[in-house]
Structure formats: structure tokens, C-alpha cells
Amino acid sequence: MIYCVEDDDNIRELVIYTLETTGLKARGFADGSAFMEALAFDTPELILLDIMLPGDDGLELLKKLKSSSKTKGIPVIMVTAKGSEYDKVVGLDSGADDYVTKPFGMMELVSRIKAVLRRSGKVEDRMDMETSGVHVDVKKHEVTVDGKEISLTLKEFELLEKLMRNQGIVLTRDQLLTEIWGYDFDGETRTVDVHIRTLRQKLGEKGEIIQTVRGVGYRVGGAA
């Protein structure tokens, strides 16, 4: 169960709808009071928390969560329009596990939620993934195409693994660059395109499983 604390009805309903269509259970709250009441009876696996709320704001609620032995271990993602570096630092330093700035893509939010759940041990990391004859064995660090092993560089493997873990979700070039090469990488997004091209070549006919979403990024699976 994921709790979404958001006072904008449209955003809250859209988030809940998206989470439920991707197989995640969700419940929404318009303010901190109703949210805290619900916590007394049930403990969610993750909390999406807006900062600008009526009554106690998101940061005050976050402090309450982290000061309680019952709730301090629940992962929290701040979802807010306050996107300055200072606001992010305050949120993360206060105990948030991630910080998503509005406006945001719904599939990106789902991807971030799953990533936090994996890091927190709330969901088991998949060690084997397969689609259209392409099999990724994370534990052995092997990739096979129709049973035949192919050789990938470390970055090519990490790109394929990332895309396979998020099947149907479009991952932006900036997102891939940050998550595969890291925040300190001083290259440009063309680096992602070059690696995607060589990855497709090595996958041969199966390279078509990696779809280009023009102007956005890449995905495995989903609508063409």
C-alpha cells in the first residue's frame, strides 16, 4: 500500500489511478490530519508527500514520521512544486528518500517509487528478466539472445538492465545519463544515444525491443 498526501484533487486522483493500473495499491489524503489518522491503523510501504499542504506542511509531517519508531522506517518521496536546490536539500536532509518536482511524468514517478522500494528492501530485486527472447541474468551478469550469450560492455549491460526493469516506461536521456553514468558525469546525452545504438547492434534482430520515443528517450516494451 502506498499513501499519497496531496491537496490537489486532480493530481492525487491521477497518481492513485496510475499506481493502481501498474499493479500498486494506493490511498490518497488531502491533508496531513487525515493522513496521520490513517497511520494509526495501517502502515504503508511508501509515502508520497507534498510539501505545500493545509495545516502541517510536508516537512513538518516528515519530521513527525522520522521521529516515531513506528513510522521512521517507511520510505518517503517528496512530491512538490518547490524545486529549488535548497528545498531539495532540506527535504533529503530531513529524511526523504527521493524528491520529485512538479510537473512530473506519471511513469517516471512509478519508476522512482519502484527504485525506492527496491533500495529499502520492500520489494525483491529481480535477478532474471526476459522479453522477446532477450534474457538478462543480473547475478551472473550475462545476456543471452534466443539462448546465445552476447558480450556487452558494463555500460551497455547497465542500460539494458535499467530498461528491462522498467518495461513499458519511457526513460529520458537525462535520467539514463544520471542513473547509469552518475551525477558527476560531465558528458552529454548523446552518450546515451551512442550506447543504445551499439547495444541494438549487439542484440541483432532483437534490438528492436528498445524503442525510441522521439524527443524523450527510450523504453523496452509498451506501445510502439
Side-chain angles (χ1 to χ4, degrees):
M1 175 64 72
I2 295 172
Y3 281 2
C4 175
V5 190
E6 166 63 62
D7 63 333
D8 186 308
D9 294 342
N10 293 328
I11 294 177
R12 186 176 66 254
E13 290 171 6
L14 179 57
V15 168
I16 292 172
Y17 172 79
T18 301
L19 292 178
E20 292 184 339
T21 57
T22 56
L24 298 168
K25 294 181 179 180
R27 183 179 175 186
F29 304 92
D31 56 54
S33 177
F35 162 65
M36 295 302 289
E37 288 179 9
L39 275 181
F41 299 96
D42 192 19
T43 302
E45 293 177 298
L46 182 142
I47 297 167
L48 300 174
L49 188 58
D50 188 14
I51 287 184
M52 301 173 70
L53 293 167
D56 287 346
D57 66 24
L59 290 175
E60 292 172 330
L61 292 173
L62 180 61
K63 291 176 182 177
K64 290 181 179 180
L65 292 171
K66 296 305 176 182
S67 64
S68 168
S69 58
K70 178 182 177 182
T71 58
K72 66 180 180 181
I74 303 174
V76 177
I77 298 179
M78 307 303 291
V79 184
T80 176
K82 301 183 71 173
S84 72
E85 182 179 8
Y86 173 77
D87 291 320
K88 292 181 181 179
V89 168
V90 170
L92 294 171
D93 283 352
S94 297
D97 295 86
D98 201 354
Y99 196 107
V100 180
T101 305
K102 299 175 185 176
F104 52 83
M106 286 296 141
M107 290 301 99
E108 177 191 355
L109 179 63
V110 172
S111 179
R112 303 276 279 268
I113 288 171
K114 289 182 176 180
V116 170
L117 288 173
R118 285 196 299 269
R119 291 198 302 268
S120 65
K122 298 293 184 178
V123 294
E124 185 177 350
D125 237 350
R126 289 176 292 165
M127 291 293 103
D128 290 276
M129 296 167 283
E130 183 168 1
T131 185
S132 302
V134 178
H135 181 267
V136 176
D137 188 320
V138 178
K139 190 172 183 179
K140 294 182 179 179
H141 216 268
E142 292 179 354
V143 175
T144 58
V145 176
D146 291 335
K148 182 179 179 180
E149 186 176 350
I150 63 172
S151 178
L152 300 180
T153 67
L154 175 60
K155 293 305 180 188
E156 289 166 354
F157 182 90
E158 290 178 345
L159 266 176
L160 182 59
E161 179 190 354
K162 183 69 177 178
L163 290 166
M164 293 276 280
R165 284 193 185 280
N166 295 276
Q167 288 190 44
I169 299 174
V170 181
L171 302 180
T172 68
R173 290 173 174 83
D174 284 333
Q175 185 178 355
L176 290 169
L177 194 66
T178 296
E179 296 189 17
I180 303 300
W181 278 267
Y183 287 96
D184 297 330
F185 182 71
D186 58 2
E188 55 186 28
T189 55
R190 187 172 181 277
T191 299
V192 176
D193 297 331
V194 171
H195 280 75
I196 289 289
R197 183 166 64 248
T198 58
L199 177 56
R200 281 172 170 158
Q201 290 171 350
K202 290 183 178 182
L203 292 175
E205 293 181 355
K206 301 298 185 179
E208 64 186 14
I209 69 169
I210 303 176
Q211 303 168 0
T212 300
V213 180
R214 190 177 299 276
V216 183
Y218 300 96
R219 70 178 165 207
V220 165

